[in-house]
Amino acid sequence: MLFYEHAEITNIDKTAPSNVTNVITTYSKETGKITLSWENPTDEDFVGTKIVYGLEDSEETTTLTFDKDATETVLENIKTGTYTVEIFTRDDVGNESDVKTKEMPMTIPSITSLSIPVAGISYAGQMLPVTIKGENLDSYLLY
């Protein structure tokens, strides 16, 4: 003989944690990487963050997951274009926040030509005039 008990559950958590705040992105021309930082919500049941990023107009994305203590990551292999970053938070029962989206236009320098006049070639330790042409060049040091 089978017996079934009926239990009423009235305390089901269906509330997602708050979103992250103060999202800051920094692009480094030297490394070709983006540093992404944020502040986590203070919800008691917050357990982590999920970040999905990719080039706008591309179907290829990368997904990263972090525990509740993470507040920064480095995005690598950045190409010229506008990146869309979607940030979600999640709680201990799996509720996920609405997306917080940040668009990051990344203009990566592109050198189209490098000219060294033959007349400028001289002995070590002397100045050598060099002309660099390209797009989005702010400043470079040549050694």
Side-chain angles (χ1 to χ4, degrees):
M1 185 179 258
L2 295 173
F3 291 96
Y4 295 96
E5 278 191 43
H6 175 62
E8 184 176 341
I9 301 173
T10 59
N11 189 12
I12 297 176
D13 178 6
K14 294 182 181 180
T15 304
S18 303
N19 280 321
V20 297
T21 56
N22 299 323
V23 177
I24 298 172
T25 56
T26 307
Y27 175 69
S28 168
K29 287 182 183 178
E30 291 79 30
T31 65
K33 299 175 183 177
I34 298 171
T35 300
L36 176 67
S37 63
W38 64 90
E39 289 182 23
N40 288 322
T42 57
D43 303 49
E44 286 184 28
D45 59 351
F46 166 73
V47 295
T49 305
K50 177 174 79 173
I51 296 175
V52 180
Y53 72 96
L55 270 171
E56 191 175 69
D57 302 328
S58 171
E59 293 183 21
E60 186 178 327
T61 61
T62 301
T63 301
L64 307 170
T65 56
F66 301 94
D67 66 23
K68 67 179 182 178
D69 297 321
T71 58
E72 182 177 287
T73 189
V74 176
L75 311 180
E76 300 184 11
N77 301 316
I78 301 304
K79 300 174 185 166
T80 298
T82 298
Y83 280 79
T84 299
V85 176
E86 298 176 334
I87 306 172
F88 303 86
T89 56
R90 63 186 189 288
D91 67 15
D92 56 3
V93 295
N95 295 315
E96 196 169 82
S97 69
D98 291 333
V99 66
K100 180 168 187 110
T101 302
K102 180 147 181 106
E103 288 190 0
M104 302 178 301
M106 294 297 119
T107 308
I108 298 176
S110 172
I111 296 175
T112 57
S113 71
L114 175 64
S115 302
I116 303 173
V118 175
I121 297 176
S122 61
Y123 298 105
Q126 295 184 354
M127 299 293 283
L128 179 64
V130 175
T131 303
I132 299 175
K133 293 182 181 178
E135 298 176 13
N136 309 309
L137 301 173
D138 290 337
S139 65
Y140 286 89
L141 294 176
L142 297 177
Y143 295 96

